[in-house]
Amino acid sequence: MSPEEKELLTKSLELAEENNKILKALHKHMRIRRALSIAYWVLVIGLAVGAFYFLEPFVQQIQDAYGGARSNLDSFNTFFQNFNSE
């Protein structure tokens, strides 16, 4: 093997080792980012479910109040319809 070939082979080996280090670092960062992304979405979904669980009694009270007001308006409307028909 000539010295030029040996030098080219050595440079090729150094480049391959450098590329391998870069690829391993990229793979490591991708795994960390994926784990953080999963944790982020678990947190977002968990907070949404927790907020619904916490706010559900208040929403139920609002729905009951709306239902009561609607029933009062319906009876008031029926009263006026009966009053106008006479």
Side-chain angles (χ1 to χ4, degrees):
M1 182 183 300
S2 71
E4 291 175 359
E5 289 175 340
K6 189 172 183 175
E7 183 181 341
L8 285 174
L9 190 59
T10 304
K11 285 183 180 180
S12 177
L13 178 63
E14 289 172 359
L15 279 174
E17 287 174 350
E18 183 181 355
N19 284 342
N20 193 23
K21 287 180 187 178
I22 292 170
L23 287 173
K24 283 184 178 183
L26 283 173
H27 190 257
K28 177 181 150 187
H29 290 289
M30 282 176 37
R31 284 187 307 196
I32 291 171
R33 183 168 172 91
R34 184 179 305 135
L36 289 176
S37 177
I38 290 170
Y40 170 79
W41 284 109
V42 166
L43 181 67
V44 167
I45 292 170
L47 285 174
V49 169
F52 177 76
Y53 179 75
F54 177 74
L55 294 176
E56 196 268 334
F58 300 112
V59 171
Q60 188 63 39
Q61 287 177 354
I62 291 170
Q63 285 177 341
D64 292 343
Y66 175 74
R70 185 173 178 188
S71 124
N72 289 341
L73 286 174
D74 287 342
S75 66
F76 192 67
N77 191 16
T78 305
F79 172 74
F80 272 118
Q81 285 177 355
N82 289 338
F83 184 72
N84 286 338
S85 68
E86 291 181 5

